[in-house]
Amino acid sequence: MPAKKAAATQPAAKNAASTQSAAKKAAAEKTAPKKTGSAKPESHAALVRRARKINRELAETYPYAHPELDFENAFQLVVATVMSAQTTDLRVNQTTPALFAKYPTPEDLAAANPEEVEELIRPTGFFRAKTKSIMGLAKVLSEEFGGEVPGRLEDLVKLPGVGRKTAFVVLGNAFGRPGITVDTHFGRLVRRWKWTEETDPDKVEKAIGELFPKSEWTMLSHHVIFHGRRICHARKPACGACPIAPLCPAYGEGETDPEKAKKLLKYEKGGFPGQRLKPPQSYLDAGGIPAPPLGATATTG
């Protein structure tokens, strides 16, 4: 009798496992984009509609999207953005408090001892080149712009270490002037989404700018970059947890199982600290956790 009872439980266990597997498969199929029988080229009008729908979905997913560098004024933002090359915003945010406490104005930074600046920003990497750039831009600001960061693209790109990407970060977030920030995340995602095949940042900027009203450019940049950092990662996208999966031509490049995909989520989506030590209140209200200061140990939520 015990042997018969054990044997009887096996089909039930198999049925339960089968039901669970079917549920996972159904969930994955629900998020997967619908395949059509013929692969017709997407018209420009259809591309515009799809691109704008993706941005609307991302706006609902990240209503708290914001620049992930801590700053209190345009000077701090331009310096922090230059320092963010080849490192994370988190490491910059952990480094700039001491830098700005010692050199709060362009005049202070321009007159600093380079070796002392190098030591302060060493954690961000490439600290000698970055010291040269931020001290150089501080000098230009002091001597040519009265110690104020200019609010025009043509002036900003004249500053040492400042290209179009950095200039648009400053214009969009310190002056409220629309701009598209083409960083590695932005370029990767817009190519995955087939918005453009361009790889040159200037050409990407132009191509994407033609798909959206100028007034949306700055927030579009935040939405796309947030999504790239949290869900649509470079090596293993969390496709099964992606809110725009039905609109994505690259669905399936990453993990499609919903439960496994959830484990790939980063920052507030995965219950971990963000990149800013002082994030906006809207981010905190959404469950975001402030990043820890340099040398501190973060706790995960």
Side-chain angles (χ1 to χ4, degrees), residues 51-198:
R52 294 185 181 184
K53 187 171 183 180
I54 285 176
N55 187 39
R56 289 195 297 271
E57 293 287 344
L58 294 180
E60 291 183 10
T61 304
Y62 311 104
Y64 46 78
H66 58 272
E68 294 193 88
L69 287 168
D70 282 323
F71 70 98
E72 295 178 358
N73 52 55
F75 171 61
Q76 290 188 1
L77 180 57
V78 70
V79 169
T81 307
V82 170
M83 287 173 56
S84 69
Q86 303 299 313
T87 190
T88 63
D89 287 354
L90 169 60
R91 184 49 56 96
V92 174
N93 292 337
Q94 292 174 324
T95 304
T96 51
L99 177 71
F100 294 140
K102 190 164 187 178
Y103 310 111
T105 68
E107 292 81 3
D108 294 326
L109 184 56
N113 181 329
E115 292 183 356
E116 293 180 1
V117 176
E118 287 178 1
E119 196 57 36
L120 283 172
I121 71 170
R122 181 184 290 269
T124 66
F126 302 96
F127 56 91
R128 291 190 179 89
K130 290 179 181 179
T131 293
K132 185 176 180 181
S133 291
I134 64 175
M135 289 190 66
L137 72 84
K139 187 172 187 293
V140 174
L141 290 177
S142 300
E143 296 178 354
E144 299 182 24
F145 295 98
E148 299 292 331
V149 176
R152 300 193 311 163
L153 175 65
E154 54 267 39
D155 292 328
L156 284 168
V157 295
K158 294 177 183 177
L159 301 176
V162 177
R164 288 178 68 86
K165 183 185 83 170
T166 296
F168 282 131
V169 169
V170 176
L171 288 173
N173 298 291
F175 293 97
R177 295 175 184 172
I180 294 175
T181 303
V182 184
D183 71 351
T184 56
H185 300 287
F186 191 95
R188 179 180 76 252
L189 268 60
V190 298
R191 285 188 288 274
R192 272 184 179 164
W193 297 336
K194 306 298 183 186
W195 289 3
T196 182
E197 293 182 356
E198 299 290 354

